Amino acid sequence: MSNKQPAWEPGDLERFRAVQQLAYRCAQTVAEGLEPGVTEKQAAQRMRRWLEENGADDWFHVPFAWFGDRTTFHRFRTPLQFFPTDRRLEEGMPFILDCAPVAQGYTADIGYAGSLGGNRVQQQILDDLKEYRELILAQVRERKPLNEIYLAVDTLIAKHGYENRHRVYPGRVLAHQVTRLKARGPRTVVAGFGIRSLQTLGRELVAERIQHRSPLWADGKSSAHAPTAGLWAVEPHLGLRGIGAKFEELLVVTEDDAYWLDDDLPHVRTWATRSAAGENAEQNAGENAGENAEVHAV
């Protein structure tokens, strides 16, 4: 594959990567400081304050936090229900932190899942999400239509016995395109979204519809086209028995290839660590079995 790039300027991808790293550092920092009794509103405020103090100057959307069964968007019916509430965190309770900062026009949109003191069900979901990351990348590289990839993800969800919770997002989106903000005007927030981001997204919607495409990746006819070159914020969100988990990160799509913008992310590092631990355990078990066989032989 030639790995031909869309019309990005030199250094653009590195700047997108830097903002994504910033967002994940924020989520990890806030997650490590969560304590019993903290509310979703307080967690979201901590993320916003941390990002503003560390280089964010605008928003694709302001930070969100969801605790307990709200990590599955339980009974969400309107967009207002996504906003942080006074729900308090308890021991063993899962949480998801989501933020989308902008720095000098470069945007990231990330999701970070964890729990206070550990949650076995959520950990299993997080482990299984590795397979979804691999599936999505492989099918984008095969240039399959976006809506077909969405359905392939649904098939895997059914296989694992989970529930598709990204279908509750507005537009049922599995992902959305991210571009460099070039809009001018006040950096104000409307309904949780930066006004400049909304202006940019509006222009993208019009431009893509003219090409019979959509910057929103869902399961309908508007997504019945091959992956569009650019950056996509991908967020498979799964649920089981009132417990939810997801990752969200940037996928780079070129005219004839695709790759994740950055593999040095918390969930990817965790998968690598757990995989290495599993391989070591198997190796040790094999060595012990061999030693036991020798002892019995003697």
Side-chain angles (χ1 to χ4, degrees):
M1 294 184 177
S2 68
N3 199 35
K4 180 181 178 183
Q5 301 285 0
W8 288 309
E9 297 176 7
D12 274 350
L13 288 183
E14 186 55 42
R15 292 191 175 208
F16 279 111
R17 184 180 294 110
V19 179
Q20 181 168 259
Q21 284 283 342
L22 177 75
Y24 265 110
R25 285 200 305 276
C26 170
Q28 281 191 292
T29 300
V30 171
E32 290 169 358
L34 293 177
E35 70 279 356
V38 67
T39 67
E40 292 178 345
K41 288 179 180 178
Q42 290 170 333
Q45 289 168 354
R46 291 177 188 181
M47 284 192 287
R48 183 165 185 167
R49 183 166 56 251
W50 191 98
L51 287 166
E52 290 173 340
E53 292 174 351
N54 287 274
D57 55 32
D58 202 352
W59 308 98
F60 178 74
H61 66 68
V62 296
F64 292 94
W66 304 297
F67 296 167
D69 62 359
R70 282 176 51 79
T71 59
T72 64
F73 303 151
H74 181 58
R75 296 181 178 175
F76 281 23
R77 297 289 184 269
T78 70
L80 291 177
Q81 291 175 287
F82 288 94
F83 286 89
T85 69
D86 291 320
R87 170 70 64 87
R88 294 187 180 276
L89 193 62
E90 300 174 7
E91 193 69 25
M93 184 178 281
F95 60 78
I96 295 177
L97 306 179
D98 190 305
C99 61
V102 177
Q104 297 181 342
Y106 294 90
T107 307
D109 195 350
I110 68 98
Y112 181 89
S115 62
L116 188 64
N119 184 288
R120 183 182 58 81
V121 173
Q122 190 194 54
Q123 187 57 60
Q124 185 60 59
I125 299 173
L126 288 169
D127 288 345
D128 287 339
L129 276 167
K130 179 176 184 290
E131 191 172 347
Y132 293 80
R133 190 176 191 262
E134 294 168 348
L135 171 69
I136 290 167
L137 178 60
Q139 297 216 343
V140 170
R141 283 178 164 171
E142 292 174 15
R143 306 293 296 166
K144 291 190 176 181
L146 294 179
N147 61 341
E148 291 185 15
I149 301 174
Y150 191 110
L151 295 178
V153 170
D154 272 351
T155 298
L156 185 57
I157 291 172
K159 175 185 174 182
H160 284 148
Y162 295 136
E163 297 175 351
N164 174 340
R165 303 316 295 161
H166 47 264
R167 66 181 175 83
V168 184
Y169 286 108
R172 299 174 58 89
V173 297
L174 171 64
H176 60 85
Q177 275 194 290
V178 168
T179 61
R180 184 179 177 187
L181 297 187
K182 295 183 178 180
R184 298 183 181 277
R187 298 179 181 182
T188 56
V189 174
V190 176
F193 286 80
I195 188 66
R196 298 194 307 162
S197 294
L198 289 175
Q199 292 170 347
T200 300
L201 180 60
R203 287 197 297 270
E204 290 294 321
L205 280 167
V206 172
E208 290 296 290
R209 286 297 170 84
I210 292 174
Q211 300 295 325
H212 304 289
R213 301 184 307 224
S214 174
L216 305 178
W217 178 348
D219 55 349
K221 291 182 179 179
S222 63
S223 294
H225 59 81
T228 307
L231 281 171
W232 291 84
V234 183
E235 52 184 331
H237 190 153
L238 314 179
L240 179 66
R241 298 198 298 272
I243 296 170
K246 73 166 185 172
F247 67 80
E248 184 174 11
E249 58 173 301
L250 296 177
L251 177 69
V252 183
V253 179
T254 70
E255 295 296 338
D256 53 10
D257 195 10
Y259 54 93
W260 295 104
L261 178 63
D262 192 355
D263 283 325
D264 186 20
L265 299 177
H267 49 286
V268 182
R269 292 194 296 267
T270 297
W271 292 330
T273 299
R274 291 173 72 85
S275 177
E279 290 174 1
N280 289 336
E282 289 181 4
Q283 181 178 353
N284 291 336
E287 291 174 353
N288 291 336
E291 293 172 357
N292 291 336
E294 290 178 3
V295 169
H296 288 303
V298 172

